[in-house]
Amino acid sequence: MTPTATIVIPAHDEEQWIAPAIESALAGQTIADVLVVDDGSTDRTAEIARSYERVTVVPCVGQGIVDVNNTGLTAATAEIVIHLDADDRLLPGAVEAFVDAFTDPEVVIAGGSTVVDDGTTAIDSKILFPSHRHLAVAAAAINPFSHTGTALRRAPVLSLGGYRSDGDVPWGEDYDLWLRILASGAKAAGVTQVVASKTLRPGGITAVHHEQQHGRMRSARAQYRADIERPRFAELVALGQELRANTPAEELRRRWSAVLAMLAMQLLGDGRPTDAAVVSAAAIRLGPVRLASGVIDHRRRMRRRRQVRTS
C-alpha cells in the first residue's frame, strides 16, 4: 500500500506567512492531514489556519520548538511526517516525491532539495546528495538536510525519542535528530528534486534557528564523527564519481568536494590527522579545480545568507 503523509507546520505569530504555507501543503495529492501546531500565537495565525477545511490546529502554548515539533510528530495520523516551517512553501510534486522515497521500507529519513529566498529573490539552493552513503558521510561535516523539506517515518523516530533539547539550548534539535537517526543504522534517502522554497528573513524561524544552533551542532557533529566508521579513500572517491549520473552532476560533484574539505578540517580539529589526510587526498583525487570551486561556492552561499539574516 502506498504510504500517505501528514504535513506538520509549527507556527508562532505567523499570520503574514501561514496561508501560503498551508496552501502549498494542501496541494499534495497523497496527504492524510495538515497540522498547524500553534505555539501560543497572539495574532490571527490560528484563525487563518482553521479557515481551511483540511487543516487541524493543535495548540502547544509556550512550550518551545522542541515540544512543538514533538507534538506534531505525535499527533500525526500518517506513517510519513513532512515538516514545513510556517514561512516556507512546499513546491508542486514535493509530497509525491517524498512518498515515493518511503516505498523503501528501510528509509526512516528523506531529505529534498530546497531553494532559499529572502521573500522575493532566490539567493541560494541546497541540492541533496542522492544516496544513504553520501548523506551519512556528509552529515559528519555539515547538516545535509533542511528541516523544511525533510520527511520522517513516524514510528522509528518516536522510538528514538523524537526531538530533544540540549540543556537550555533547544536550537539545532533537527540536526541532533538527523544524526541520531543515521547513527542508529537507519537508512536515509535523498530527493534531488527541489521540494521546498525556504524564506530567510531577519528574525524569522529559519534565521533565528541559524543564529542559535551552531555550538550545539558542532558538539553533536563531533560525537557523530567519533561514533561512525573511519573514512576510506576508495569509498569517498567512488561516491564522488557516482555523482556523474545525477542532475545537476557538476554542481553535486563540486559540493561533494567541498564537503570532503570541511570534513578533513574538522577531523584535524578532532586530533585525527591520519583520517584528515585520507579525506583530503580523496577530495584532491576528485579534481583540485573542482575542489577549489566547490569551497569558493560554499563560502559565497554562506555569505549571501549572512547578509540576509543581518539586513
Side-chain angles (χ1 to χ4, degrees):
M1 184 175 67
T2 301
T4 57
T6 291
I7 300 174
V8 173
I9 307 176
H12 175 77
D13 289 346
E14 296 287 351
E15 64 179 3
Q16 179 181 353
W17 305 91
I18 192 68
I22 289 173
E23 289 166 11
S24 74
L26 290 173
Q29 300 300 307
T30 52
I31 60 169
D33 52 357
V34 175
L35 305 181
V36 173
V37 184
D38 182 32
D39 187 18
S41 295
T42 58
D43 63 3
R44 296 180 58 246
T45 296
E47 176 187 345
I48 293 169
R50 289 192 181 97
S51 70
Y52 291 89
E53 290 184 3
R54 299 167 63 195
V55 175
T56 301
V57 176
V58 181
C60 186
V61 180
Q63 298 299 308
I65 190 64
V66 170
D67 284 340
V68 167
N69 285 333
N70 281 329
T71 295
L73 192 62
T74 302
T77 62
E79 178 185 6
I80 310 306
V81 180
I82 301 171
H83 180 97
L84 177 65
D85 283 343
D87 51 358
D88 299 336
R89 299 166 305 285
L90 290 178
L91 299 181
V95 176
E96 290 69 37
F98 279 127
V99 167
D100 184 63
F102 282 95
T103 56
D104 179 346
E106 295 183 1
V107 169
V108 173
I109 179 171
S113 299
T114 57
V115 293
V116 182
D117 62 49
D118 61 5
T120 57
T121 305
I123 60 172
D124 194 11
S125 63
K126 188 165 190 172
I127 308 300
L128 258 285
F129 293 115
S131 78
H132 169 78
R133 282 303 298 156
H134 286 103
L135 294 165
V137 172
I142 62 169
N143 184 349
F145 305 105
S146 297
H147 204 181
T148 282
T150 294
L152 303 169
R153 196 179 296 275
R154 180 175 175 272
V157 171
L158 287 174
S159 72
L160 288 171
Y163 298 89
R164 65 183 184 185
S165 297
D166 182 9
D168 295 329
V169 182
W171 312 112
E173 81 293 343
D174 52 351
Y175 189 33
D176 171 79
L177 177 56
W178 313 159
L179 293 178
R180 285 187 286 124
I181 291 171
L182 292 169
S184 75
K187 188 175 180 180
V191 177
T192 55
Q193 173 183 331
V194 178
V195 298
S197 176
K198 293 173 55 63
T199 299
L200 192 63
R201 54 191 173 92
I205 290 175
T206 303
V208 169
H209 283 204
H210 180 91
E211 294 300 328
Q212 300 190 42
Q213 67 188 351
H214 279 296
R216 181 182 183 187
M217 290 173 68
R218 283 193 296 269
S219 175
R221 196 157 50 221
Q223 184 60 55
Y224 177 74
R225 287 194 299 272
D227 290 342
I228 62 174
E229 64 185 47
R230 299 178 65 178
R232 297 188 302 252
F233 174 84
E235 181 188 23
L236 297 178
V237 172
L239 287 169
Q241 293 172 337
E242 287 173 13
L243 295 173
R244 288 179 294 190
N246 294 92
T247 302
E250 188 53 38
E251 182 176 357
L252 279 168
R253 294 176 76 188
R254 286 198 306 270
R255 294 194 181 201
W256 181 250
S257 294
V259 163
L260 295 184
M262 289 183 280
L263 177 56
M265 292 296 295
Q266 292 174 48
L267 287 167
L268 199 60
D270 294 340
R272 298 167 60 181
T274 301
D275 290 336
V278 168
V279 176
S280 296
I284 294 169
R285 175 65 179 81
L286 290 166
V289 174
R290 184 175 291 117
L291 171 59
S293 62
V295 171
I296 292 169
D297 286 351
H298 175 79
R299 290 181 175 177
R300 285 175 177 167
R301 292 196 305 273
M302 295 304 101
R303 183 165 59 247
R304 285 196 298 267
R305 293 192 184 204
R306 283 195 298 271
Q307 289 170 346
V308 172
R309 285 194 300 271
T310 58
S311 63

